[in-house]
């Protein structure tokens, strides 16, 4: 029975890894590719490690596998965030059919800070995103 | 039932190897092709993940669980490499902006 369950987990994990590869191949810009690689790839690796933890039936192996899953889940968003920010600032082109670029014009000239809505206005709630066009000034 | 379970596990391991291989090929295509540096770094990150998946399947199929430590170390190295590359791209972008944007827009820091 355990064989059966871990076989299913392996199949699912490999399918997610394959989907991540297809996404990396087909999607049109860096951000969408990163979306495929980060989420589907991490899920695939996590499922395969989970299958390993189930199949081994030893506490130490299972503990290491679960530690690996947790490590992947903690680090993947950080890496993707840093990479997305760096890619955006270095001017990687967005897909031509992108509708909104909410970050456009919001970085200051040297690219270190966001100069969107100042924090005190956000706290007052006057320039909230719910406004029709956001930028009222 | 136990017979069938073991057989199913072997089949799924074989299928998983094929899927990982295909995914690796697509990732390598993106590594070679990727128009920007960020694309290539995303693809390298994906390669580290695929290495982890491969090691997981391999460790399961051979029963040598010591390979799991290799997978964890690979996860760590992949994360550090991605962060380092991201910093590198970010620094490059900052330097480029400082070079091109400061003359027409006053520096107000």
């Amino acid at each position: 029975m355990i064989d059966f369950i871990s076989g299913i987990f392996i199949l699912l994990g490999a399918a997610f890894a394959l989907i991540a590869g297809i996404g990396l191949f087909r999607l049109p810009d860096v951000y969408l590719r990163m979306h495929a690689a980060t989420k589907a790839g991490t899920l695939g690796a996590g499922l395969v490690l989970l299958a390993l933890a189930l199949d081994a039936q030893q506490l130490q192996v299972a503990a290491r596998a679960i530690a690996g899953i947790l490590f992947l889940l903690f680090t993947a968003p950080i890496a993707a965030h840093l990479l997305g920010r760096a890619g955006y600032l270095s001017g990687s082109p967005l897909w031509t059919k992108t509708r909104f670029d909410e970050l456009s014009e919001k970085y200051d000239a040297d690219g270190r800070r966001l100069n969107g809505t100042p924090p005190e206005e956000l706290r007052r709630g006057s320039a909230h995103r719910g406004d029709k066009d956001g930028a009222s000034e | 039932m136990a017979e069938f379970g073991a057989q199913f596990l072997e089949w799924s391991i074989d299928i998983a190897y094929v899927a990982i291989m295909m995914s690796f090929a697509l990732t390598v295509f993106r590594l070679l092709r990727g128009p920007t540096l960020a694309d290539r770094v995303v693809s390298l990150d994906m390669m580290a993940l695929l290495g982890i998946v491969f090691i997981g399947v391999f460790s399961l199929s051979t029963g040598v669980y010591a390979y799991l430590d290799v997978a964890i170390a690979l996860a760590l190295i992949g994360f550090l490499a991605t962060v380092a590359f991201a910093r590198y791209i970010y620094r490059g972008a900052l330097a480029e902006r400082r070079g091109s944007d400061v003359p027409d827009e006053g520096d107000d820091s």
Side-chain angles (χ1 to χ4, degrees), chain A residues 109-135:
Chain A
D110 62 355
R112 279 182 185 278
R113 245 161 306 160
L114 283 170
N115 51 8
T117 316
E120 59 268 19
E121 280 190 38
L122 270 186
R123 226 173 293 129
R124 254 187 281 127
S126 61
H128 199 258
R129 259 203 192 162
D131 295 358
K132 202 65 176 176
D133 287 342

Side-chain angles (χ1 to χ4, degrees), chain B residues 60-94:
Chain B
L60 206 157
S61 71
T62 58
V64 185
Y65 298 122
Y67 287 127
L68 194 52
D69 295 336
V70 182
I72 294 177
L74 193 59
L76 181 64
I77 290 176
F79 170 63
L80 289 180
T82 309
V83 170
F85 269 119
R87 293 295 292 180
Y88 170 67
I89 298 175
Y90 179 61
R91 286 298 164 100
L94 283 192

Side-chain angles (χ1 to χ4, degrees), chain A residues 27-104:
Chain A
L27 289 177
D29 74 19
V30 193
Y31 314 101
L32 294 173
R33 283 177 204 136
M34 199 153 42
H35 145 83
T38 302
K39 283 178 269 194
T42 308
L43 190 53
L47 282 173
V48 169
L49 288 181
L50 194 61
L52 182 60
L54 281 178
D55 188 75
Q57 292 185 317
Q58 300 170 26
L59 187 59
Q60 39 174 346
V61 177
R64 272 185 291 167
I66 288 170
I69 296 174
L70 287 181
F71 183 80
L72 278 178
L73 288 182
F74 287 147
T75 56
I78 301 173
H81 174 92
L82 277 171
L83 199 52
R85 182 154 160 269
Y88 187 84
L89 279 171
S90 74
S92 298
L94 292 166
W95 187 26
T96 49
K97 289 185 189 165
T98 305
R99 294 277 188 88
F100 298 112
D101 178 7
E102 297 202 57
L103 268 181
S104 69

